[in-house]
Amino acid sequence: MEGIQLYIRYLRKGPNPPVLTSTVLKRFLAPLLEPFKIFNFEILILKSSIEAILTSHKRTHALEFVEQCKNPRFSRRLILNGQRLTIRKSDKEPNEILVRVLKREEKVLLTDGATIALAVTTDRLRRQFKVSSLACGKWEYIGPQVHYREYFVLPVEATIIFGDRFFVLDYNVELPTDEQSPEKATYLPHPSSHGLTLCYRIQIPYSAIVSTVLDPHEAHAVVYTLKEAPIVWVRESTNHPIRAIGVNGLPLQVSTSCQEYRLILQDPSDIPHLLSLERACVVPQSSLNPVTTYPAGVSLEEQFSQLKLDLKRRSKLSFGVKFQVQKLAQNGYLPPPTVLGITEYVSLMQEKYGTPTTVAALRRLFQELPYAGPLVNADNLNTQALFALLGSNIQSVTEEQSYRTTIDASTNVFTYRAEVTPSATYLAGPDPESSNRVLRKYSGFSDQFLRVTFMDEDGGTFYFDRLRRNEAIFHERFRDVLRNGIEAGGGLYEFLGFSHSSLRAQTCWFLAPFMTHGKRIDADSIISELGDFSHIRSPAKCAARIGQAFTDTSSSIPIDPTYVQEVDDIERNDRCFSDGVGTCSMKVLETLQATQKSFHIPATVFQIRYAGAKGMISLDSRLDGHVLRLRPSMIKFRGTEDPKIEICGIAAKMLPLVLNRQLIKILEDLGVPDEAFKDLQNYAIDELRTGVSSINNAAAFLEQNNVGMTTHTTWLLRKMQSLGLELSDDKFFRDVLDAVVLIQLQGLKYKTRIPVKEGATLYGIMDETGTLAEGEVYCAWIDKDGRPGHAYGDVVLARSPALHPGDIQIAKAVTVPRDSPLRQLHNCIAFSSQGERDLPSRLAGGDLDGDHYHIVWDQSLIPKACVEPASYPRLPPLDVGRAITRQDMSDFFIEFMEQDQLGIVAKQHMVLADQHEQGTLHPDCRTLAEMHSTAVDYSKTGIPVSPLTLGYTSHLQLTIHTIKVNEENFPLNCRNCRFRPDFMAPGRKVKVEKHGISFEGEQIDLVEPDDPRRVGEPRPHRYYESKKILGILYRSIDERAFFKDLHERSPILKDDARPSKGVLVSLWEYLQAETTELEWEHYVDYAWGMRESYEATVYEIILQYSTNNAEVLEEIEVFIGNIICRNGYRSKRQKEYISSMKEKYDREALMLMAAMRENDETAGEEELEALRRSMACLYVGIQEPRERERRTERSRRDTFAWIAAAAAMRELESYQEDRDLGPLKMMQGMALRA
């Protein structure tokens, strides 16, 4: 047995022996164990608090230490707290997983150059201080002086503790027996006859601190200006902490718009100790300034009432402008009185320049306002300064309107948003987003719809946590918003509904009632227009059906209702072989294809919504005329007359197959050899190296990753190479390649996303002809070069997510006769309608209403045999026995946020599959696979995952009985949950900075739970080296070593520090030489306006899609349309943001490119105006930013210049062709292009 346990206790138990703590004991033993080469060990304090267990992975060395402890001279050193310790070998063997954890931690620490002593050395810094008062307020200016205005004061004796990542403020509140508080009354135990003591903890991460002001004079105060509200916990005695809505007694209006917290230190001599923490880089740096404090006078609630009343009185002020004005105050940019002071000016702006220009000018203002405080001059934030900024913004926005195009309302809509946190409601938008059925129908009233996202203070997602309870947040704060609505822009928005995807994103739609054609439109009337839902008795099911209308759809095509036919489903053995799939004739297909002109190859398979139906339709060439065939399994409710087909998915191309951890683990357990996965990963890594081996390869690599297509960057790279320009000298080009390579490498290492060339991911449909026999499939595609392809022979089929070992099956891919209608289809997989059970349901419970299926014909990945697929009975949706109301659905929205455990179950399945020798075949993993199936369906059934739920659904009676008797045996509660395989560990911290990408060493956190340095955060998971294939693949990639080697070998990434003027400067010189007689200077001011507008929009995108204040995006991430994982882990919200961010940036880049290259028909020489304009843009792009741009503190990149360079070179190419043709042919060429 590797590893050992030692038993430790005091030699003699006195009447009041000193209590042992893990931190004290670990610090005491560390220097004693170090000579025995034991650097990493675990201490577990037993219930008696005078006994402990020490676990080490070095058995021999630990036994030597025990022997030494018997030596009288050495034993004199074993005195702690005045008591001698006795140490012996324990009778019990150590936890095997813990031993592997300790072994890995020491290995990583020694490899990365860190020392274990850092984790156990006594921290001599003083970290605890006494506080006599807490205040919440704002920095405000009275004349040229800045003062702190208190809007809330809590005189309380508190303790402030500074940890490594947070500081906390702890204080107690004594409540009389008869006093009720929301938290106490609902979520805390009933008070005793002696009253109730509530223990509050205010938690503030250092990453949220904008500035710190220390007042060393009479006040001895500290003022923290924050980017986000603090997190507040409350508990009684030793109960689990409950998340509180905010500081007790703090009005919501104050917590929303005031983020300046003032603490009064009890002892003035504490100031030097705080400065010592700064010098040790524990806390952010501060400034020393006297702080003058004033009481509030007029309450903040009254100030907001005055502002809202003023906006309400201004009937001529449009909603869009009112929304932005309210946002200025509500989001804390400016105090309400200051906003009131500029409202009249804003009203005049709207009257003179119109609503769109005024809204754009106000939104630009948000980026330009600094945080108030002693270091910011009053002249930057007084009324006159605001007037000047708005006037300048009006001028810039007016210039931009000459090239900004109108957003297509049929596919996109400008959406207003609200972000609701436990302590605040922030306003955002409007921004163009994909449209849906409801928004499309009321396209003229888009400002009456509000997209509301519920999130934590730092922008993160709320997760189920059985140790840290969030009931008060869910059932009081969030439920209050859902029931009482949100006031914005003079309107009251009420809950409307949500789609299936937005439910998981904790986002829903609100509506402010409005009048149209003499009819009042509110939430209830919109739902009734969608269809009849009165027969549905389940809140989850009803919400899912209504949510079909809120699904993002790319287009809406009118169709004659007489074209629609209903045909029977194909059912056998209580199985539906045609679940969610229908067909259409060629005539209908051509109608759909006509709306998809951007695709080179017309699709033959679409995912659609039609009235109350949803699912896939495929071409059936046997149908004549205009026919759309739907099946009962597609029709979820009877929709009202709305004869439009909405497209939400298109089989326009073959999607690549990328293996993930779940698929790899099951394939490993089914007998696929390790070498198959190693070879695929090595090939993927070689592809990354090849991608940066030359300019042509780099261009192809970027195209493969969909980078630079909109901006013609890859075309420009090849053009530059043909001109002999040295691209390796350009830092921006190298940074783009580095970023894309890093994202791909992170996917390989931290998600085990391994591409498979001999595989594909395709929409699933059913063979309508009956040609395919049971177990046969027909797979057809057209690749990016237009070549058709088919799969033949044995193939592996799967669907993600896959947890049960039977979720992967082997089928036979066959061809079909040339005259078969199946031959007309491509980019899909057709399943047989024959047999005892449909194949899609065998693949992780799939169906045909839009699921993607993985198909693999790589013979090295095909197991010799598969196991029987799972067969879980479908859960009937939770029935409340009456018609469903909107409140029922909003309550379910809250319940889902609170109870959704899909991610927890999936992670625990991954842990146990690694720890059990049988892997996914182990009964625990099979149990978790069933729980995962329940969790997936929770959004439609309303039945969450729990041990009782499992008992209701499972056939594993023995396991269920064990769970019911002893919950500790429940797979989610196993003792090794805190230990995870190394491939699940956070990655190296990545810094994306102006000088490039850098990596830090892996962080091993060994600080004990009772150490003050850990205050405010739980102990993170600990990791061991996995012996299975996922661990082997993980450890085979060292991204820091990979990048070092890549930069040394790649001729285009090698940075030899040569001085360079930059490739764009060289390109500019080439352009000048080719256009010596062309005048472009008159476009310079216009180009500056374009640049500033573009960079303002990019900065807005950065702010919108940075998921928290500690990880603000860089412009290069916006340009490549992806988010670099700062620690190898991409959050759920980041995954959701990526496609939206790319879509928004691509829209801006296309607009900019079109504006540069658009010909001015009023000009005398139309063909040359685009060249002149784009040259001016390139000239401006390679200049340093003007003073106005520097004020916004945006990180400077060269994206504008690169877009301008591509536009200019495109126009120059046309100019050169015409010039070489001669005057006559030049005029003919111009006429043809016109």
Side-chain angles (χ1 to χ4, degrees):
M1 174 71 185
E2 190 178 19
I4 191 172
Q5 279 190 172
L6 304 183
Y7 173 74
I8 304 172
R9 69 172 179 85
Y10 288 123
L11 183 61
R12 293 184 179 86
K13 297 181 181 179
N16 294 300
V19 172
L20 289 173
T21 68
S22 57
T23 298
V24 171
L25 187 55
K26 198 164 190 177
R27 288 174 178 168
F28 173 76
L29 292 174
L32 300 177
L33 290 166
E34 188 172 351
F36 297 89
K37 298 182 180 179
I38 298 176
F39 305 112
N40 190 24
F41 53 93
E42 180 79 356
I43 295 291
L44 174 65
I45 304 298
L46 302 182
K47 289 183 179 180
S48 66
S49 297
I50 59 172
E51 301 170 287
I53 294 293
L54 181 151
T55 304
S56 170
H57 65 286
K58 294 183 175 179
R59 187 181 186 89
T60 303
H61 296 79
L63 289 174
E64 292 174 1
F65 171 72
V66 171
E67 286 300 313
Q68 186 67 8
C69 289
K70 298 175 183 178
N71 185 316
R73 180 178 296 181
F74 187 84
S75 65
R76 295 192 195 105
R77 301 173 62 186
L78 299 177
I79 297 176
L80 176 64
N81 297 325
Q83 298 265 355
R84 179 167 293 180
L85 297 176
T86 177
I87 302 175
R88 64 172 174 82
K89 178 181 176 296
S90 171
D91 297 332
K92 297 181 179 180
E93 291 297 332
N95 181 326
E96 178 193 356
I97 300 297
L98 174 58
V99 170
R100 291 166 64 185
V101 167
L102 295 170
K103 185 175 181 180
R104 176 184 180 272
E105 287 173 344
E106 183 169 310
K107 178 181 177 182
V108 172
L109 283 166
L110 296 177
T111 301
D112 281 352
T115 61
I116 200 72
L118 294 176
V120 296
T121 301
T122 300
D123 185 359
R124 300 185 184 278
L125 292 170
R126 183 179 167 195
R127 292 174 175 265
Q128 296 190 21
F129 306 89
K130 292 296 182 181
V131 171
S132 61
S133 176
L134 165 68
C136 184
K138 290 187 77 68
W139 292 110
E140 296 182 6
Y141 295 91
I142 302 176
Q145 302 299 319
V146 65
H147 305 276
Y148 183 79
R149 181 82 67 183
E150 291 181 335
Y151 288 102
F152 171 80
V153 180
L154 183 67
V156 63
E157 184 173 315
T159 301
I160 187 171
I161 308 171
F162 292 93
D164 284 344
R165 293 177 54 235
F166 300 85
F167 78 82
V168 301
L169 191 72
D170 290 339
Y171 62 93
N172 296 336
V173 175
E174 299 284 344
L175 295 181
T177 305
D178 58 349
E179 183 176 333
Q180 295 292 312
S181 70
E183 291 88 6
K184 184 198 74 172
T186 311
Y187 306 113
L188 288 175
H190 293 295
S192 66
S193 59
H194 303 290
L196 181 68
T197 299
L198 298 182
C199 307
Y200 277 85
R201 165 165 284 184
I202 301 174
Q203 177 178 314
I204 298 176
Y206 298 136
S207 60
I209 298 175
V210 177
S211 65
T212 306
V213 176
L214 282 176
D215 183 355
H217 302 295
E218 294 182 7
H220 43 271
V222 189
V223 182
Y224 294 100
T225 298
L226 308 179
K227 298 177 184 177
E228 62 197 44
I231 294 173
V232 183
W233 299 94
V234 60
R235 61 181 173 84
E236 182 199 20
S237 184
T238 58
N239 293 327
H240 288 315
I242 297 174
R243 184 73 178 273
I245 295 174
V247 178
N248 59 305
L250 180 64
L252 188 63
Q253 193 70 72
V254 177
S255 66
T256 295
S257 55
C258 294
Q259 298 300 342
E260 289 84 16
Y261 288 81
R262 181 173 181 261
L263 309 176
I264 304 296
L265 300 172
Q266 282 188 3
D267 187 349
S269 64
D270 287 342
I271 294 288
H273 294 288
L274 286 176
L275 295 173
S276 296
L277 289 172
E278 289 184 22
R279 287 192 292 271
C281 300
V282 174
V283 300
Q285 298 296 304
S286 66
S287 62
L288 296 174
N289 291 91
V291 178
T292 305
T293 304
Y294 285 89
V298 179
S299 71
L300 203 61
E301 293 90 334
E302 179 61 29
Q303 293 178 22
F304 270 96
S305 295
Q306 292 173 5
L307 175 61
K308 291 177 181 178
L309 182 61
D310 180 76
L311 293 176
K312 190 174 183 179
R313 287 172 178 166
R314 296 180 183 276
S315 58
K316 293 184 179 180
L317 206 60
S318 68
F319 166 83
V321 173
K322 287 181 180 180
F323 186 91
Q324 303 304 326
V325 171
Q326 181 180 335
K327 178 181 172 184
L328 272 173
Q330 185 159 319
N331 289 22
Y333 290 103
L334 294 170
T338 304
V339 177
L340 265 173
I342 66 170
T343 306
E344 179 62 29
Y345 181 81
V346 170
S347 183
L348 294 174
M349 283 170 49
Q350 179 191 293
E351 185 178 337
K352 184 174 181 179
Y353 299 103
T355 294
T357 301
T358 306
V359 167
L362 284 167
R363 295 188 69 179
R364 193 78 50 92
L365 184 65
F366 300 139
Q367 302 175 17
E368 299 168 327
L369 293 175
Y371 285 92
L375 300 181
V376 176
N377 195 298
D379 292 341
N380 293 329
L381 284 170
N382 61 26
T383 305
Q384 294 304 315
L386 297 175
F387 289 165
L389 284 172
L390 285 171
S392 177
N393 290 347
I394 283 287
Q395 182 180 350
S396 298
V397 172
T398 303
E399 292 172 357
E400 294 167 18
Q401 289 175 344
S402 60
Y403 72 84
R404 288 203 168 272
T405 57
T406 304
I407 299 296
D408 183 1
S410 66
T411 57
N412 294 278
V413 62
F414 276 98
T415 304
Y416 290 86
R417 295 179 288 112
E419 296 169 349
V420 180
T421 74
S423 65
T425 299
Y426 302 105
L427 304 180
D431 296 296
E433 294 187 18
S434 296
S435 191
N436 58 48
R437 183 183 306 177
V438 176
L439 295 179
R440 199 174 281 118
K441 181 174 182 178
Y442 296 106
S443 58
F445 299 92
S446 62
D447 55 5
Q448 304 303 117
F449 294 86
L450 190 70
R451 192 173 186 127
V452 181
T453 301
F454 295 83
M455 59 180 62
D456 210 340
E457 303 294 357
D458 64 357
T461 304
F462 270 99
Y463 293 100
F464 172 86
D465 189 340
R466 64 188 181 90
L467 297 180
R468 292 190 165 195
R469 298 161 53 191
N470 294 310
E471 290 99 323
I473 304 301
F474 290 130
H475 295 285
E476 294 185 19
R477 168 69 178 135
F478 289 173
R479 179 168 286 169
D480 177 71
V481 172
L482 286 162
R483 289 188 177 180
N484 298 321
I486 295 174
E487 191 175 346
L492 180 63
Y493 290 82
E494 58 187 18
F495 172 77
L496 175 59
F498 48 84
S499 68
H500 179 262
S501 60
S502 70
L503 174 64
R504 294 200 177 277
Q506 300 180 353
T507 298
C508 57
W509 287 100
F510 277 44
L511 171 76
F514 59 93
M515 298 293 295
T516 177
H517 303 297
K519 180 182 178 182
R520 186 177 189 270
I521 303 297
D522 58 19
D524 290 327
S525 64
I526 284 181
I527 290 173
S528 65
E529 288 175 358
L530 294 176
D532 180 13
F533 306 97
S534 60
H535 62 287
I536 301 177
R537 295 291 188 266
S538 165
K541 185 176 180 180
C542 187
R545 298 296 174 249
I546 294 172
Q548 290 177 209
F550 295 103
T551 301
D552 292 346
T553 49
S554 61
S555 55
S556 178
I557 303 101
I559 184 173
D560 190 327
T562 61
Y563 297 167
V564 181
Q565 301 176 1
E566 290 188 27
V567 296
D568 291 337
D569 275 304
I570 297 178
E571 296 177 312
R572 193 179 306 110
N573 302 326
D574 292 327
R575 299 283 183 179
C576 183
F577 287 70
S578 57
D579 191 1
V581 65
T583 59
C584 69
S585 64
M586 180 60 76
K587 291 286 187 182
V588 170
L589 184 74
E590 289 171 349
T591 303
L592 302 183
Q593 291 173 342
T595 66
Q596 312 298 319
K597 296 179 180 177
S598 59
F599 296 105
H600 300 298
I601 302 167
T604 56
V605 175
F606 289 83
Q607 186 183 19
I608 67 160
R609 301 286 186 268
Y610 175 80
K614 63 185 286 280
M616 300 296 298
I617 57 169
S618 62
L619 169 66
D620 187 342
S621 57
R622 299 170 300 180
L623 299 176
D624 296 325
H626 291 83
V627 179
L628 173 65
R629 284 187 170 177
L630 305 178
R631 289 191 163 95
S633 61
M634 302 175 69
I635 302 170
K636 306 303 180 180
F637 63 92
R638 292 295 168 183
T640 55
E641 292 300 322
D642 188 13
K644 292 185 178 69
I645 295 178
E646 296 171 295
I647 297 176
C648 51
I650 308 166
K653 59 182 179 180
M654 176 185 71
L655 300 177
L657 169 63
V658 181
L659 294 179
N660 56 40
R661 287 176 178 171
Q662 294 168 341
L663 295 175
I664 291 171
K665 187 72 197 78
I666 293 175
L667 288 171
E668 177 192 32
D669 295 337
L670 294 178
V672 173
D674 292 355
E675 292 305 317
F677 304 110
K678 292 179 186 178
D679 290 345
L680 287 170
Q681 180 172 277
N682 290 335
Y683 181 82
I685 292 173
D686 288 342
E687 287 284 281
L688 293 181
R689 292 193 178 99
T690 302
V692 295
S693 61
S694 69
I695 300 300
N696 278 331
N697 285 352
F701 175 66
L702 294 177
E703 288 171 350
Q704 181 183 344
N705 288 279
N706 198 21
V707 173
M709 305 294 285
T710 303
T711 56
H712 297 178
T713 302
T714 54
W715 174 88
L716 179 62
L717 294 177
R718 295 185 176 99
K719 189 69 177 176
M720 286 177 168
Q721 184 186 34
S722 70
L723 296 174
L725 299 180
E726 191 57 64
L727 276 159
S728 60
D729 290 345
D730 190 81
K731 187 177 182 309
F732 174 77
F733 167 65
R734 296 198 306 268
D735 286 350
V736 168
L737 284 181
D738 271 348
V740 179
V741 169
L742 175 62
I743 288 170
Q744 296 302 312
L745 191 69
Q746 286 180 328
L748 282 169
K749 181 175 177 69
Y750 297 107
K751 290 297 180 183
T752 328
R753 290 181 53 80
I754 304 177
V756 180
K757 290 193 69 176
E758 296 183 47
T761 301
L762 302 166
Y763 275 117
I765 61 169
M766 188 189 70
D767 169 26
E768 300 283 346
T769 67
T771 302
L772 301 176
E774 181 179 8
E776 292 183 341
V777 294
Y778 174 73
C779 304
W781 61 84
I782 297 178
D783 65 20
K784 61 181 180 179
D785 298 319
R787 295 187 297 258
H790 298 82
Y792 301 99
D794 288 344
V795 294
V796 168
L797 295 179
R799 190 182 74 93
S800 293
L803 279 76
H804 189 279
D807 288 344
I808 290 180
Q809 295 291 312
I810 298 174
K812 190 172 189 63
V814 299
T815 187
V816 294
R818 291 187 178 276
D819 59 350
S820 171
L822 291 176
R823 285 277 190 161
Q824 304 294 316
L825 305 177
H826 50 258
N827 299 329
C828 63
I829 174 171
F831 293 95
S832 171
S833 60
Q834 312 296 322
E836 296 297 313
R837 179 180 175 182
D838 60 302
L839 186 50
S841 71
R842 296 169 179 256
L843 306 174
D847 54 36
L848 301 176
D849 69 351
D851 288 356
H852 280 100
Y853 292 88
H854 309 304
I855 174 171
V856 185
W857 56 93
D858 184 330
Q859 296 303 300
S860 68
L861 294 177
I862 298 179
K864 293 180 180 178
C866 292
V867 302
E868 190 66 22
S871 181
Y872 309 132
R874 290 194 174 185
L875 295 176
L878 193 65
D879 190 335
V880 299
R882 56 173 172 78
I884 303 303
T885 65
R886 278 192 302 115
Q887 183 172 311
D888 291 329
M889 290 185 285
S890 67
D891 286 348
F892 174 68
F893 186 86
I894 292 292
E895 179 191 321
F896 188 87
M897 274 198 290
E898 185 179 21
Q899 296 292 334
D900 180 29
Q901 300 180 56
L902 185 64
I904 294 175
V905 174
K907 285 181 180 178
Q908 191 54 34
H909 178 275
M910 194 174 297
V911 172
L912 294 186
D914 186 81
Q915 292 180 1
H916 290 309
E917 189 63 32
Q918 293 174 267
T920 56
L921 298 167
H922 191 277
D924 281 352
C925 292
R926 290 175 181 259
T927 298
L928 284 165
E930 183 173 0
M931 293 174 63
H932 190 269
S933 176
T934 301
V936 167
D937 291 338
Y938 176 29
S939 60
K940 293 174 283 188
T941 64
I943 300 175
V945 167
S946 71
L948 293 179
T949 301
L950 192 65
Y952 175 63
T953 65
S954 182
H955 56 278
L956 303 173
Q957 296 299 327
L958 181 61
T959 304
I960 296 163
H961 178 71
T962 305
I963 291 170
K964 287 181 178 178
V965 172
N966 181 8
E967 194 181 23
E968 287 301 315
N969 290 336
F970 188 48
L972 287 181
N973 299 326
C974 71
R975 63 175 181 161
N976 285 331
C977 283
R978 59 198 177 110
F979 306 134
R980 292 180 171 181
D982 53 355
F983 59 80
M984 296 179 71
R988 297 180 186 273
K989 288 192 176 296
V990 178
K991 292 185 178 180
V992 185
E993 301 170 319
K994 292 182 180 179
H995 63 265
I997 294 172
S998 60
F999 301 92
E1000 296 181 3
E1002 183 177 342
Q1003 302 295 310
I1004 298 294
D1005 188 345
L1006 299 180
V1007 179
E1008 293 297 315
D1010 55 1
D1011 192 307
R1013 289 176 290 171
R1014 186 172 294 289
V1015 70
E1017 56 179 325
R1019 185 166 185 172
H1021 289 284
R1022 299 171 70 185
Y1023 302 91
Y1024 59 88
E1025 281 196 1
S1026 168
K1027 299 175 182 178
K1028 299 189 178 181
I1029 185 60
L1030 291 174
I1032 295 169
L1033 295 172
Y1034 168 82
R1035 291 187 296 276
S1036 68
I1037 297 176
D1038 181 334
E1039 61 266 53
R1040 186 160 58 180
F1042 175 86
F1043 266 83
K1044 182 181 178 182
D1045 177 72
L1046 194 69
H1047 278 250
E1048 289 175 352
R1049 294 189 181 191
S1050 172
I1052 60 176
L1053 289 180
K1054 188 177 295 185
D1055 186 3
D1056 52 12
R1058 290 176 299 175
S1060 171
K1061 58 187 176 183
V1063 69
L1064 293 184
V1065 175
S1066 300
L1067 187 70
W1068 169 248
E1069 292 171 353
Y1070 168 76
L1071 275 161
Q1072 284 185 302
E1074 288 291 305
T1075 57
T1076 53
E1077 297 180 359
L1078 196 68
E1079 295 182 359
W1080 51 267
E1081 290 82 357
H1082 56 290
Y1083 275 119
V1084 168
D1085 287 341
Y1086 178 82
W1088 272 114
M1090 293 177 71
R1091 172 177 169 171
E1092 290 170 1
S1093 169
Y1094 165 82
E1095 292 182 349
T1097 302
V1098 169
Y1099 188 63
E1100 195 173 283
I1101 293 173
I1102 287 172
L1103 296 180
Q1104 180 179 347
Y1105 292 101
S1106 296
T1107 51
N1108 62 67
N1109 295 316
E1111 296 181 359
V1112 178
L1113 298 181
E1114 290 289 331
E1115 185 174 340
I1116 198 167
E1117 293 172 274
V1118 177
F1119 179 78
I1120 67 174
N1122 214 323
I1123 297 175
I1124 295 172
C1125 309
R1126 265 49 175 193
N1127 62 350
Y1129 170 77
R1130 180 171 287 140
S1131 70
K1132 180 180 178 182
R1133 200 170 296 281
Q1134 283 177 326
K1135 295 173 187 174
E1136 296 161 356
Y1137 277 176
I1138 286 174
S1139 60
S1140 176
M1141 180 184 76
K1142 181 170 178 56
E1143 181 182 338
K1144 186 171 183 178
Y1145 175 74
D1146 283 352
R1147 188 185 300 116
E1148 178 67 19
L1150 279 171
M1151 198 180 299
L1152 181 67
M1153 181 74 78
M1156 290 179 184
R1157 300 187 63 195
E1158 185 180 12
N1159 291 320
D1160 184 359
E1161 296 180 358
T1162 63
E1165 297 177 273
E1166 296 91 345
E1167 277 295 302
L1168 298 181
E1169 292 308 298
L1171 177 56
R1172 292 186 174 108
R1173 195 183 302 114
S1174 56
M1175 283 185 66
C1177 289
L1178 177 56
Y1179 168 78
V1180 165
I1182 61 178
Q1183 306 302 312
E1184 288 296 318
R1186 296 196 292 195
E1187 178 63 26
R1188 176 181 181 79
E1189 290 298 289
R1190 287 196 290 271
R1191 275 207 310 273
T1192 61
E1193 298 182 358
R1194 300 169 189 148
S1195 60
R1196 179 172 183 260
R1197 290 284 184 177
D1198 300 315
T1199 57
F1200 178 84
W1202 274 80
I1203 294 173
M1209 289 302 294
R1210 284 282 192 184
E1211 293 302 320
L1212 177 66
E1213 192 173 63
S1214 297
Y1215 169 74
Q1216 290 171 330
E1217 290 175 359
D1218 293 338
R1219 182 186 59 189
D1220 295 340
L1221 286 172
L1224 180 60
K1225 290 188 177 180
M1226 180 177 176
M1227 292 177 62
Q1228 293 173 343
M1230 289 167 57
L1232 284 172
R1233 279 193 291 274

